[in-house]
Amino acid sequence: MKQRLPLVIGNWKMNPATRAEARKLFIGVRQALRRKNLHTDIAIAAPFVFIADIASYSPSNRIQLSAQNVSAEAIGAYTGEIAVAMLKSFGVSSVILGHSERRASGETDAAVVAKLETVLKAGLTAVVCVGEEKRDSAGHYFTVVEKQLHHILKSVKRTQLERLVIAYEPIWAIGTGATATPEDAHEMKLFIQKIIADTCSRAAIAKVRILYGGSVKAANAADLLNDGNVDGFLVGGASLKPKEFVDIVQAASEYGKH
Ligand code: PGA
């Protein structure tokens, strides 16, 4: 099977503060990527309220739209929730699920799985985050990731595997500047692939992209790709700086050429 293109997702989290700033940020990225022949997929996961504006600034869909969360319920009396059908109607093509910041405020593996099933059933791509809180010399962090993955993999049908993306995001690396080394990222990617092979099939490995997230910057992106062999990134802080984000995208595009 042909190697899939890398994927870089900018997770804006709860930023920026205003509609005008969101517009400026998105247009900054769009302008910097203009006329570039890119060998990578790119998505922006903006807060829900900015998605409509962003969709109108990128009619070509060159920068794909992602969301940071979704309800597990299809539609109805769920105050404050957003349904996957709503996201789809704005052209959103992927949803980040189980981010550690959401897990920290009480989102359980069961809740992540319920959302995952809803997203896949709707035909969208699910970007599911896994990752340990800390590392220990006994390697317990592998068990943490394995447990999270089992919940995810057992609810994905074989025909849906191409729409599953796993983002390995060690919590100790998120927003801290303490990026995992390319070796750490590579080792975890191989571990995740082994679990995918054991739970699904060997063929499934080629279908599921495995991203790295946690203090990705322009300065470490190329090493994480070339030596870590990850299939792209989930970028938080650096996605709020157009030049920095575009440099990360360019690194992924270079990597995606071969
Ligand atoms: P960071 O966030 O790049 O700011 O570390 C990554 C994430 O939380 O997805």
Side-chain angles (χ1 to χ4, degrees):
M1 186 170 173
K2 194 183 170 300
Q3 194 65 33
R4 301 190 56 188
L5 282 182
L7 168 64
V8 180
I9 305 175
N11 174 14
W12 288 2
K13 308 191 179 185
M14 200 171 72
N15 296 293
T18 65
R19 185 178 182 181
E21 286 170 275
R23 178 175 193 271
K24 192 165 165 241
L25 176 55
F26 185 80
I27 289 175
V29 172
R30 191 189 69 182
Q31 288 291 106
L33 291 174
R34 249 183 48 201
R35 294 205 196 90
K36 287 200 172 29
N37 185 16
L38 293 171
H39 302 268
T40 183
D41 291 329
I42 316 156
I44 296 285
F48 290 132
V49 291
F50 299 141
I51 289 177
D53 274 355
I54 287 178
S56 70
Y57 303 141
S58 185
S60 70
N61 218 16
R62 191 160 183 244
I63 302 176
Q64 298 161 21
L65 303 177
S66 191
Q68 300 175 17
N69 184 32
V70 71
S71 171
E73 304 296 339
I75 201 84
Y78 302 98
T79 302
E81 296 291 331
I82 300 286
V84 74
M86 298 170 187
L87 297 176
K88 214 172 158 178
S89 75
F90 282 95
V92 169
S93 56
S94 64
V95 184
I96 300 170
L97 297 174
H99 191 282
S100 60
E101 288 155 13
R102 298 198 53 80
R103 291 183 191 260
S105 55
E107 193 161 88
T108 60
D109 282 323
V112 173
V113 164
K115 293 177 180 192
L116 173 63
E117 287 171 356
T118 301
V119 166
L120 293 175
K121 199 166 146 211
L124 272 65
T125 293
V127 182
V128 192
C129 304
V130 297
E132 76 281 2
E133 212 170 310
K134 53 182 187 299
R135 289 212 159 194
D136 58 314
S137 53
H140 286 130
Y141 52 93
F142 286 114
T143 320
V144 173
V145 172
E146 182 170 11
K147 189 171 152 279
Q148 291 171 331
L149 274 173
H150 274 306
H151 287 286
I152 297 162
L153 294 174
K154 70 173 191 250
S155 53
V156 178
K157 300 192 178 74
R158 197 162 10 134
T159 53
Q160 298 173 327
L161 282 166
E162 292 194 17
R163 288 187 288 108
L164 175 67
V165 176
I166 302 291
Y168 170 57
E169 297 213 304
I171 297 170
W172 49 267
I174 297 177
T176 58
T179 322
T181 64
E183 294 71 28
D184 289 340
H186 189 221
E187 184 183 40
M188 190 55 87
K189 179 181 174 183
L190 294 177
F191 179 72
I192 292 171
Q193 287 186 323
K194 183 180 177 322
I195 294 171
I196 293 173
D198 292 349
T199 319
C200 307
S201 64
R202 280 212 68 76
I205 291 178
K207 298 184 177 162
V208 181
R209 283 185 283 191
I210 300 173
L211 313 184
Y212 168 76
S215 300
V216 175
K217 309 184 240 312
N220 56 31
D223 285 350
L224 282 162
L225 291 160
N226 294 321
D227 302 334
N229 270 133
V230 292
D231 304 313
F233 301 119
L234 188 51
V235 185
S239 71
L240 301 172
K241 301 175 199 147
K243 161 106 179 54
E244 185 82 12
F245 184 65
V246 166
D247 285 350
I248 295 168
V249 169
Q250 299 253 52
S253 177
E254 275 305 308
Y255 182 68
K257 279 185 188 163
H258 24 265

